[in-house]
Amino acid sequence: MTTPALSTEQEALFRLIEDTNDHVFVTGRAGTGKSTLLQYLSDHTTKQIAVCAPTGVAALNVEGQTIHSLFRLPIGLIGTSDEKQSDATRKILNAIETLVIDEISMVNADLMDAIDRSLRMARGRRAEPFGGVQIVMFGDPYQLAPVPPRGDELRYVQDHYRSFWFFDAHIWAGEDSADGLIDVGRHGADLHIRELVDIHRQSDADFKAMLNAVRHGVVTADIAQILNDKGARTPPTPTDDEAPIITLATRNDIVNNINRRHLEALRGREQTAVAEVNGDFGRGDAGYPADPELRLKVGAQVMFLRNDRGAFPDPPRWVNGTIGRVTRIAGGTVRVDVDGDEFDVEPAVWEKYRYAYDPASRALTREIVAEFTQFPLRLAWAVTIHKSQGKTYDRAIVDLGSGAFAPGQTYVALSRLTSLDGLYLSRPLRPRDIQVDPDVRRFMADVRRQTSVPRVAG
């Protein structure tokens, strides 16, 4: 599949990354094309690049490696000690010119500092941030947060860091100024924040403005009323000839119950596709990119879990997040109706990569260390808000249950929609549903006050 062309602002940002050695944090609202830029960078850079992410599934999505496996770091709090490095690890880290980290908002401050120490130690350049490696990070702290520490780890973080977020790692932090704000890069590495502003998912300016208000936690009574009035409709029945509708819920048990209930209500024989797993995918089902046992019936509503990589890439027949309905299961394929067009879907292979060093070419190589083969589908009458990250839906029921329990959760759910017309609410939004982490609010406000850190404008 060909890499999509870049917009003007994406191209400018690509050139900044490609033509300099600046450390760059690429952020922006949902739907601004962060993933597109990352994929383009991975495909077109002339630098020795390594791509990593904090979780196994996130690493699979960017065809990279987890941070912990790339750097051979222990799980959990690492502290300030230097971890032992093998010759193979040192050679890999020495070959990297640019390290790309996706879903950076899920990386905690302690791990960020461990990456810095590991690169300095491996490359023998202790006085230079990240040992001279360019760091390029992608993510939106208004959406995903790092797993909060507990117990002794929480006490350690409180004693050593301003917060657990990656941007409060010691490598970035300068001294507190008189007004109490952190001067980014003053005594640490110089972090350049670039915020993509052109939204490609939504076209309606009013809806964009509402989503931005939710993102920043500044929802007015008028905005709340518009969202609640629009969402206070009875969801359409499955027999409607409109776009499929999916429920976005806060908890796995709610999602599983909805999917199970709908599947059982369908007539016909249930069939199960068992995934083929070769190699080590880590911690059981949580590390798999799809269900190890996919239960389907004709009539099941499903969601595609990856972009179309078939024979007709332009335009793609489906993308990651497309919703359809199963019309036939036979001959090793699943036929899915997508907006009136039917496609035979075959099992897909997800490849787990590991970086290696080739002494002959003195370059990084990628080795396939595991493969997961399964139909790229998931039951999709419902999905968790967390797993909806990065997806796009025409219509959705947002079910916040007893309330959003994490900052950014409501924003993630609402921003999946292409328009306000596709919004259905299981209950009205409440003030406590709109949460913004105070450290994120503080960091982004500090950044925007620094005239030396411009935004990329379209």
Side-chain angles (χ1 to χ4, degrees):
M1 187 173 180
T2 57
T3 307
L6 298 184
S7 66
T8 301
E9 66 168 355
Q10 289 170 329
E11 175 66 29
L13 191 40
F14 171 73
R15 293 266 44 109
L16 170 68
I17 296 168
E18 185 71 2
D19 298 341
T20 75
N21 200 42
D22 292 346
H23 305 304
V24 182
F25 170 35
V26 181
T27 189
R29 287 174 280 176
T32 51
K34 298 182 291 295
S35 296
T36 298
L37 176 58
L38 190 157
Q39 184 62 55
Y40 187 93
L41 173 65
S42 181
D43 291 344
H44 293 84
T45 183
T46 59
K47 298 179 179 179
Q48 289 285 303
I49 189 173
V51 182
C52 60
T55 68
V57 172
L60 287 173
N61 289 338
V62 293
E63 298 183 340
Q65 191 171 346
T66 65
I67 296 170
H68 288 87
S69 65
L70 176 61
F71 285 88
R72 294 295 187 264
L73 293 170
I75 301 297
L77 199 67
I78 300 170
T80 59
S81 60
D82 289 338
E83 298 296 326
K84 292 182 179 180
Q85 294 177 332
S86 66
D87 288 342
T89 298
R90 282 196 294 272
K91 288 178 180 178
I92 292 170
L93 299 185
N94 264 286
I96 298 173
E97 293 177 333
T98 298
L99 178 71
V100 176
I101 307 175
D102 194 27
E103 302 290 12
I104 186 62
S105 62
M106 297 181 68
V107 175
N108 62 55
D110 171 72
L111 180 56
M112 193 81 245
D113 282 334
I115 292 171
D116 171 49
R117 286 195 309 274
S118 296
L119 288 170
R120 293 189 198 223
M121 182 169 64
R123 299 165 69 87
R125 298 163 73 172
R126 295 263 186 180
E128 196 169 352
F130 299 105
V133 172
Q134 180 188 30
I135 306 297
V136 179
M137 304 173 290
F138 288 81
D140 181 8
Y142 286 104
Q143 296 185 54
L144 290 176
V147 177
R150 297 180 180 179
D152 288 341
E153 291 189 358
L154 175 59
R155 287 186 283 273
Y156 178 89
V157 170
Q158 291 172 336
D159 286 343
H160 292 82
Y161 289 99
R162 186 167 184 177
S163 81
F164 206 44
W165 288 86
F166 76 94
F167 49 72
D168 280 329
H170 298 310
I171 180 57
W172 307 122
E175 295 177 349
D176 286 354
S177 58
D179 58 4
L181 300 178
I182 289 293
D183 183 5
V184 178
R186 181 177 168 192
H187 293 286
D190 190 7
L191 177 58
H192 298 264
I193 290 85
R194 296 295 186 266
E195 187 170 13
L196 293 169
V197 297
D198 292 342
I199 297 176
H200 308 284
R201 181 174 295 147
Q202 296 93 18
S203 58
D204 180 74
D206 290 338
F207 188 41
K208 289 181 182 180
M210 293 178 202
L211 292 177
N212 201 41
V214 175
R215 182 176 189 245
H216 290 95
V218 290
V219 176
T220 64
D222 288 343
I223 292 175
Q225 183 172 350
I226 293 171
L227 292 171
N228 284 329
D229 288 349
K230 193 68 175 180
R233 295 172 291 160
T234 301
T237 63
T239 57
D240 285 351
D241 293 330
E242 300 174 279
I245 189 164
I246 188 170
T247 295
L248 308 181
T250 55
R251 303 200 321 263
N252 274 309
D253 60 333
I254 297 174
V255 166
N256 292 337
N257 286 336
I258 292 173
N259 285 330
R260 182 172 58 250
R261 186 174 70 250
H262 280 280
L263 187 65
E264 291 174 350
L266 292 175
R267 297 179 179 179
R269 182 168 64 94
E270 180 181 297
Q271 301 188 53
T272 302
V274 179
E276 179 182 342
V277 183
N278 296 305
D280 181 17
F281 262 86
R283 297 173 292 173
D285 294 3
Y288 294 151
D291 293 335
E293 294 186 356
L294 175 63
R295 293 177 171 83
L296 293 175
K297 290 182 181 179
V298 170
Q301 183 165 295
V302 293
M303 179 175 67
F304 286 86
L305 299 178
R306 63 189 302 172
N307 293 340
D308 176 21
R309 299 188 181 186
F312 310 101
D314 191 17
R317 296 168 294 177
W318 60 79
V319 296
N320 186 6
T322 293
I323 300 175
R325 196 170 301 279
V326 175
T327 58
R328 181 174 179 266
I329 306 172
T333 64
V334 177
R335 184 168 295 172
V336 180
D337 180 288
V338 178
D339 296 332
D341 295 321
E342 294 192 2
F343 306 110
D344 287 329
V345 182
E346 298 179 343
V349 179
W350 283 265
E351 297 168 333
K352 183 177 180 181
Y353 293 96
R354 180 176 62 201
Y355 287 97
Y357 177 72
D358 181 2
S361 63
R362 297 183 180 181
L364 283 177
T365 60
R366 284 194 311 171
E367 301 173 345
I368 298 173
V369 296
E371 291 182 331
F372 181 94
T373 305
Q374 178 60 289
F375 289 99
L377 302 169
R378 171 181 286 143
L379 292 178
W381 286 284
V383 68
T384 62
I385 293 172
H386 181 84
K387 288 183 179 177
S388 75
Q389 187 81 17
K391 308 293 194 300
T392 300
Y393 306 118
D394 291 328
R395 303 194 303 173
I397 303 167
V398 176
D399 182 358
L400 296 175
S402 58
F405 58 81
Q409 200 169 44
T410 300
Y411 172 64
V412 170
L414 297 179
S415 61
R416 300 309 96 200
L417 289 161
T418 56
S419 72
L420 185 59
D421 288 336
L423 174 64
Y424 298 84
L425 294 171
S426 63
R427 63 157 175 81
L429 294 176
R430 304 165 184 160
R432 65 174 177 270
D433 293 327
I434 312 298
Q435 301 180 33
V436 178
D437 189 288
D439 290 303
V440 172
R441 196 192 301 271
R442 176 257 305 169
F443 171 70
M444 294 304 290
D446 291 354
V447 166
R448 286 166 182 158
R449 277 197 285 266
Q450 296 181 36
T451 57
S452 62
V453 185
R455 299 169 74 194
V456 175

